[in-house]
Amino acid sequence: MSSGSAPAPVFLSAEWRHLLMLNYEADPSVLAPLTPPGVELDLFDGRALCSVVGFLFLKTKVLGIPVPGHRDFEEVNLRFYVRREVDGELRRGVVFVRELVPRPAIALVARRVYEEPYSALPMRREIVAGAADSPPPSVGFSWKREGAWESVSGRPVGDYFESAPGSEEEFITEHYWGYTKRSRGPT
């Protein structure tokens, strides 16, 4: 029998599928004003990296409850990488510059509750199926902004592999915290 308190309920749970990540180098002076207080840019080999990430949120639940019409949807976000030391622990994370979703209610809750930079725009996806038991040969996400469709897409090339320790691939995927500038309270 445990004497500890019950764990806090999980606010949001979902599966991420058909993940597309496009990574590039950015000028640190452009990212510095976007960096929340208490964190610093996390550089890879002296370079500040950003990612455009598209994916499907699937089987989404809020407090364990599926919300009709808001279970499966696209998201595209622009992020960069930061770090923070807390009690001797290095916490590597991301800062979102923009997050796009197709549902106004999702964007509204994320902006109001977390002050995350969400916008709701019409969105669509194109996932071209591959052979059974293999990833799709191409994935694309589009959003309509100011009357015009914009998009990001890609397809895998070469064999899949596990990220090598110290590699750029490991750097991009090993950031588990999210930080945001807030109008009230700490980062």
Side-chain angles (χ1 to χ4, degrees), residues 5-68:
S5 61
V10 174
F11 177 73
L12 177 72
S13 64
E15 294 179 10
W16 286 15
R17 295 287 183 249
H18 303 293
L19 184 69
L20 173 68
M21 294 185 79
L22 304 173
N23 309 304
Y24 60 95
E25 186 174 345
D27 184 336
S29 68
V30 172
L31 301 176
L34 304 172
T35 304
V39 300
E40 62 184 8
L41 289 176
D42 195 1
L43 305 177
F44 180 78
D45 286 343
R47 299 177 296 134
L49 300 178
C50 294
S51 298
V52 175
V53 181
F55 58 96
L56 292 181
F57 259 109
L58 297 177
K59 302 179 184 174
T60 306
K61 294 180 182 178
V62 176
L63 297 173
I65 301 168
V67 180

Side-chain angles (χ1 to χ4, degrees), residues 114-153:
Y114 297 106
E115 295 190 51
E116 288 289 339
Y118 269 81
S119 294
L121 296 172
M123 296 183 77
R124 60 187 181 200
R125 63 184 174 257
E126 182 176 7
I127 300 169
V128 178
D133 299 329
S134 69
S138 68
V139 176
F141 299 94
S142 303
W143 56 96
K144 193 173 190 179
R145 188 172 64 92
E146 298 178 5
W149 284 98
E150 301 172 344
S151 64
V152 60
S153 63

Side-chain angles (χ1 to χ4, degrees), residues 51-102:
S51 298
V52 175
V53 181
F55 58 96
L56 292 181
F57 259 109
L58 297 177
K59 302 179 184 174
T60 306
K61 294 180 182 178
V62 176
L63 297 173
I65 301 168
V67 180
H70 294 78
R71 294 220 37 192
D72 301 336
F73 56 91
E74 301 87 354
E75 179 173 322
V76 174
N77 64 58
L78 172 60
R79 64 174 68 178
F80 64 95
Y81 301 90
V82 296
R83 64 186 186 177
R84 171 183 181 178
E85 190 171 321
V86 177
D87 298 327
E89 175 191 2
L90 183 61
R91 294 183 178 176
R92 302 176 100 173
V94 299
V95 173
F96 294 104
V97 177
R98 179 67 57 216
E99 296 169 272
L100 305 177
V101 291

Side-chain angles (χ1 to χ4, degrees), residues 159-165 167 169-170 173-174:
D159 294 329
Y160 291 93
F161 59 91
E162 185 129 352
S163 299
S167 68
E169 293 86 1
E170 181 189 55
T173 58
E174 297 296 316

